[in-house]
Structure formats: C-alpha cells, structure tokens
Amino acid sequence: MAVGLKGNGFVAAFVAGLLFRRAVKLLRHGALHLVEDTGVLLGLLVWFLFGQLINQTLHDGTDWAIVVFAVLAVVVARTVPVVLSLARTNIERADRLFLGWVSPRGLASIAFGLLAYIELDPLEKELVGEVMVVCVVVHGASVVPLATWYGRRRGIPAPELPATHRTPPPER
C-alpha cells in the first residue's frame, strides 16, 4: 500500500515488522507457514537475479575504476561508520574493525541495487548493476580470509571442512 501511495516500501515493511510481533500472538500455531515459504521463495528469486547479474558482469568484464570504487565503498561507506559508532565503547580497535568489515552485507546491497536497477534507464542500469555486483563480490570474497585471520589472532582454530569438501589425498 505504501508503494502504491508513492511511499517508501522499506520503511513501511519496517513499521509493519514492529507492529507484527504483537499481532502474531493472536494467530493460531502454524498460520504463517505460507508467509514464511513465500519469503524464502522471494529471497531465492533475489539471489537468482543477482546470479544473472554476476554472470553478465564476469562475462563482459569490468573497469578497474569500478573495482576501486567498490573497495572504497566497502571500506569507507560500510566499515568506517561502524567503527566510529563503536569508538567510545570498550570494544578493542581490532574487534571494531572486524565488526565494521563483516557487518551485514550482500542481501541489503542487492535489494537496494536491484531497486535502482529496475527503475533506471538502460545505460545507468548497467553501471548500477556492475557496481552492485563488484561491491558484493569484493566484500564477500574478503570475509573468509579476514575471519580466518581474526580467528587466529583470537586463538580460535580454523573450522574443519566437512568431508565432502576436502581435497582427496593423492593416489600412490
């Protein structure tokens, strides 16, 4: 309804979520299975669309300036605000940096990027899609090495991969 009235759908969804907790207590058990399944399906649709954009971007290649912008966006626009918001806490600097870097990523960037992608002209659409893909890929690709480093720094051993993901030993 908010979008139909030219309002912000994200704000409306947030407010609805705030009000929902109280109302859900009045529903019978299991009444929301269809809603949950629909949410999962829509989430998978977003990832499907993003997968198409990744294929297109990787196939066509990308400009170095977009990669530089993506790195700066991830470092400055995502990490710095988190680090600054935690500045006067007793959280150590390395922990603040880690939290800033691995903060929520991916789906929010994709959702906002797809909103712009859907509404823009074809030339602008391509640029926004490419920037979105590169930002998510840069951020996502950096998380495992950073988490491994952070874990070692904290004395936490790297997790053991399941047997299905291990490289088989060489045959003799």
Side-chain angles (χ1 to χ4, degrees), residues 69-82:
F69 175 82
V71 170
L72 289 173
V74 169
V75 172
V76 177
R78 297 180 73 94
T79 305
V80 171
V82 174

Side-chain angles (χ1 to χ4, degrees), residues 10-166:
F10 283 104
V11 173
F14 176 75
V15 171
L18 291 174
L19 300 173
F20 181 74
R21 182 180 173 121
R22 194 172 205 184
V24 76
K25 293 176 184 175
L26 303 173
L27 297 175
R28 66 178 172 77
H29 179 71
L32 297 177
H33 287 300
L34 179 61
V35 173
E36 292 170 359
D37 291 344
T38 303
V40 168
L41 182 63
L42 291 174
L44 293 172
L45 177 63
V46 167
W47 286 109
F48 175 80
L49 293 172
F50 183 67
Q52 286 183 309
L53 286 174
I54 286 178
N55 284 333
Q56 180 181 337
T57 300
L58 294 179
H59 180 266
D60 296 344
T62 191
D63 187 10
W64 66 269
I66 291 177
V67 175
V68 170
F69 175 82
V71 170
L72 289 173
V74 169
V75 172
V76 177
R78 297 180 73 94
T79 305
V80 171
V82 174
V83 170
L84 290 175
S85 70
L86 297 171
R88 293 189 176 223
T89 66
N90 59 355
I91 299 173
E92 294 179 31
R93 189 175 79 151
D95 296 339
R96 291 192 306 256
L97 288 168
F98 181 72
L99 286 171
W101 190 266
V102 298
S103 62
R105 62 195 188 285
L107 191 55
S109 299
I110 294 167
F112 288 122
L114 285 177
L115 285 174
Y117 187 86
I118 290 166
E119 294 295 324
L120 293 172
D121 295 327
L123 288 176
E124 297 166 326
K125 179 184 293 201
E126 276 189 46
L127 178 62
V128 166
E130 193 171 345
V131 168
M132 175 184 59
V133 164
V134 174
C135 280
V136 172
V137 169
V138 163
H139 201 193
S142 67
V143 169
V144 171
L146 184 63
T148 303
W149 167 82
Y150 182 77
R152 276 196 308 260
R153 185 177 184 279
R154 291 287 184 203
I156 302 168
E160 185 89 13
L161 290 175
T164 58
H165 291 92
R166 288 190 193 138

Side-chain angles (χ1 to χ4, degrees), residues 1-13 115 119:
M1 191 166 88
V3 172
L5 296 171
K6 303 292 184 204
N8 187 311
F10 283 104
V11 173
L115 285 174
E119 294 295 324

